[in-house]
Amino acid sequence: MAHVSHISVFSHDRPPVDNTQGHSTEKFHAKTSEMTQMRNTAEQYIAWYTGASNMREKTVILEVNEGKIRGVRKQSAFSEVEYYSFLGIPYGQSTAGHARFKNPVKVKPWKGILDCTKEKHGCLQYSMRIKEITGSEDCLYNNIYIPKIPAKNDPPKAVIVCYHPGGLAHGSPDPWYYGSPEYIMHHDVVYVCVAFRLHVLGFLNLGLKECSGNQGLKDIILSLQWIKENISVFGGDPDNITLMGSGTGAGLVQELMIIPKTKNLFHKALLMGMYKTCPLHMAAEENASLALDIATRLGYAKKDEDDKKKLLSFYKKLDLEEVFAYRPDIFIQLNKATLFVTTPFVTTIDSGDDAVLPLSTREQQIESTARIPIMIGFCEREASMALTKIYQKNTKENFFKLIRSNYLGWGYDLNDGEIKLIRDQVEKFYCEGKTVENASLSTKCDILTDAALSDVYDTLINVISADLPSSVFVYKFNFVGNAFTINEYISSQFDEPLKGACHESDFNHCGPTQNTDGAIRPIL
């Protein structure tokens, strides 16, 4: 097994970083002016990206199986590197209106030339980053970036297909959000960022044929089929596709690795900061009771609680933009099993002809896992997102109980003596004579990171390396640069600094993203 102890991030000539704009806690918490500034900066970036300020713009036309598409040549904001961008290429028909909650259907051919020079903003959601309602229910599309228009005799390029983080609750493949190609386009690869349905739209499972769950996962599989059939048009190699995901995106990649229907659709995997957000740890057979609870809070009549068809009808008629306007957090919650903020609607074990995750036991899932080369890694302070104000009291007064019930010895019936032994060993190794409860914030984060990662990582690494011992690569990311970071937000919740590379730092260093002060800068 190869081990990477430190990652070198892409470096190139770039404008000097303006360090006068600090990341103060006060700035981060400003509710109106700062969010307005962030949105304005995002709009400036989008204006630049879509060509409004790009003097070297050149449109190009390619033809995929369904018809012709128009893309545009771009120049990196931070170097002289040029590349071509094709945004919003549909792989499935609209899932809005009567198609809400239905399985995705392959996109129909179109006439004329489809304009793919502008963003489409992902699935309808309340964005936790810009504090706004954004996106659309018509969201089944791929964004594709290539370093050059392929010539006839060019060798095919490796393909990277990326799935964004966001707890299945928010996020999109927008270039300014989670899908910037800026640094990846310094390399000779084809880069694909995928949009799919999120939260209740993507994962409501009422156990009905017309709402059988895993809609978002089925979107992703349809996208992969489209990529396999069309990526050669962009110079990509359909037999050299690597899936890449961060956080919940990494969890989706792991699930794709166990789904029989994805066989031969990809060949390698890069899992970044998977933590315990892998939806495998959250799956259930259906989520009708959860759906009923949320629907009741939105005005659904309790007398119809046993009628799933009426419940589905209620959700189909729900004006989600209106719901997000007055209940922006309705589809976001703390998952007590994972200590992570996600949507309560996640991937589920399903059944029937359209099932994608019929494997209900851990043994079945391990047996079904694709034996392919993988790179798997995490950030130094990967569990930072678990240390938020929502359970600040628990981490101060009951931290050991918190991690004990969720990670250490989870699933085992331990007696008091065994629990005490675990505590003694944890405090001896991590706490330098202090109790767990009195340890520093960084130490608590280290304990939680190690405890959370151990099961997920050890299982997957051991399964793959048993058959492919030279094809498993592990990294730890500890570089701290200018990329979007949550460290100051976490620190502000505890009045104690949290240092080091936090959750998503590795992914955010793959491209320039917005910082908490609204500025978009180089990451180094």
Side-chain angles (χ1 to χ4, degrees), residues 404-422:
R404 157 71 187 92
S405 60
N406 287 276
Y407 299 106
L408 300 178
W410 183 83
Y412 293 93
D413 185 17
L414 302 178
N415 60 42
D416 291 344
E418 291 168 326
I419 294 174
K420 184 179 185 305
L421 180 61
I422 292 175

Side-chain angles (χ1 to χ4, degrees), residues 124-128 131-134 169-170 324 328-329 332:
L124 179 65
Q125 64 189 272
Y126 177 77
S127 170
M128 295 173 68
K131 310 300 181 186
E132 270 190 3
I133 300 169
T134 183
H170 72 107
F324 284 134
D329 61 344
I332 300 171

Side-chain angles (χ1 to χ4, degrees), residues 218-463:
K218 293 168 186 175
D219 297 344
I220 289 171
I221 294 172
L222 183 62
S223 166
L224 279 172
Q225 293 168 345
W226 187 96
I227 292 167
K228 183 79 171 179
E229 295 171 2
N230 288 282
I231 204 64
S232 59
V233 173
F234 302 88
D237 186 349
D239 296 318
N240 187 9
I241 296 174
T242 297
L243 303 190
M244 165 184 167
S246 171
T248 307
L252 290 171
V253 172
Q254 188 186 2
E255 289 194 332
L256 291 168
M257 289 175 64
I258 73 170
I259 294 174
K261 291 183 178 181
T262 64
K263 187 176 181 180
N264 298 322
L265 292 180
F266 60 94
H267 313 91
K268 304 168 191 173
L270 169 56
L271 300 99
M272 309 174 75
M274 186 165 52
Y275 187 35
K276 206 181 176 185
T277 58
C278 173
L280 270 176
H281 292 271
M282 300 184 276
E285 291 187 0
E286 63 177 59
N287 45 41
S289 60
L290 171 67
L292 176 62
D293 176 62
I294 292 178
T296 302
R297 284 186 270 158
L298 295 173
Y300 183 70
K302 286 187 177 181
K303 64 181 181 180
D304 296 324
E305 63 182 26
D306 294 326
D307 192 329
K308 291 183 179 179
K309 287 189 177 293
K310 283 189 177 181
L311 183 60
L312 176 59
S313 177
F314 175 84
Y315 272 102
K316 279 189 172 182
K317 296 175 182 177
L318 207 58
D319 185 334
L320 287 179
E321 289 196 40
E322 183 178 313
V323 170
F324 284 134
Y326 73 91
R327 292 294 298 274
D329 61 344
I330 191 69
F331 299 128
I332 300 171
Q333 70 174 20
L334 173 68
N335 187 294
K336 294 180 180 179
T338 62
L339 304 184
F340 211 84
V341 178
T342 68
T343 175
F345 296 99
V346 296
T347 51
T348 51
I349 303 300
D350 52 10
S351 59
D353 295 338
D354 63 344
V356 293
L357 269 180
L359 309 171
S360 59
T361 70
R362 184 184 182 88
E363 290 71 26
Q364 288 175 322
Q365 294 165 358
I366 290 174
E367 178 63 28
S368 182
T369 298
R371 271 55 172 180
I372 58 175
I374 64 168
M375 176 177 282
I376 184 168
F378 59 96
C379 295
E380 179 184 14
R381 303 279 188 251
E382 186 63 49
S384 53
M385 277 295 286
L387 297 173
T388 63
K389 190 174 183 179
I390 198 165
Y391 38 91
Q392 180 179 5
K393 182 177 180 181
N394 283 334
T395 56
K396 281 188 173 180
E397 299 176 5
N398 252 335
F399 183 77
F400 181 78
K401 183 178 180 180
L402 187 72
I403 60 173
R404 157 71 187 92
S405 60
N406 287 276
Y407 299 106
L408 300 178
W410 183 83
Y412 293 93
D413 185 17
L414 302 178
N415 60 42
D416 291 344
E418 291 168 326
I419 294 174
K420 184 179 185 305
L421 180 61
I422 292 175
R423 170 187 275 274
D424 291 343
Q425 292 299 314
V426 167
E427 291 179 345
K428 180 179 179 182
F429 186 83
Y430 291 95
C431 302
E432 299 179 342
K434 296 181 180 179
T435 64
V436 171
E437 288 74 18
N438 291 323
S440 69
L441 189 61
S442 295
T443 297
K444 288 178 180 177
C445 195
D446 288 343
I447 296 171
L448 192 53
T449 296
D450 292 349
L453 291 171
S454 57
D455 177 61
V456 176
Y457 277 59
D458 287 350
T459 300
L460 185 58
I461 290 169
N462 290 336
V463 166

Side-chain angles (χ1 to χ4, degrees), residues 11-12 32 54 92 161 177 186 238 280 349 365 375 480 520 524:
S11 179
H12 51 78
T32 305
N54 190 344
V161 181
Y177 205 137
H186 285 70
L280 270 176
I349 303 300
Q365 294 165 358
M375 176 177 282
V480 179
I520 299 173
L524 296 175

Side-chain angles (χ1 to χ4, degrees), residues 42-92:
E43 289 166 2
Q44 292 168 10
Y45 180 80
I46 292 169
W48 164 80
Y49 191 87
T50 53
S53 60
N54 190 344
M55 301 304 293
R56 304 177 71 173
E57 177 182 301
K58 174 185 177 182
T59 59
V60 292
I61 295 174
L62 295 179
E63 186 168 3
V64 295
N65 289 346
E66 293 78 17
K68 295 180 179 179
I69 57 175
R70 178 182 291 110
V72 64
R73 184 177 68 184
K74 294 292 175 184
Q75 180 183 325
S76 170
F78 307 117
S79 76
E80 295 298 314
V81 170
E82 292 184 347
Y83 58 92
Y84 292 83
S85 165
F86 299 84
L87 302 176
I89 309 171
Y91 61 81

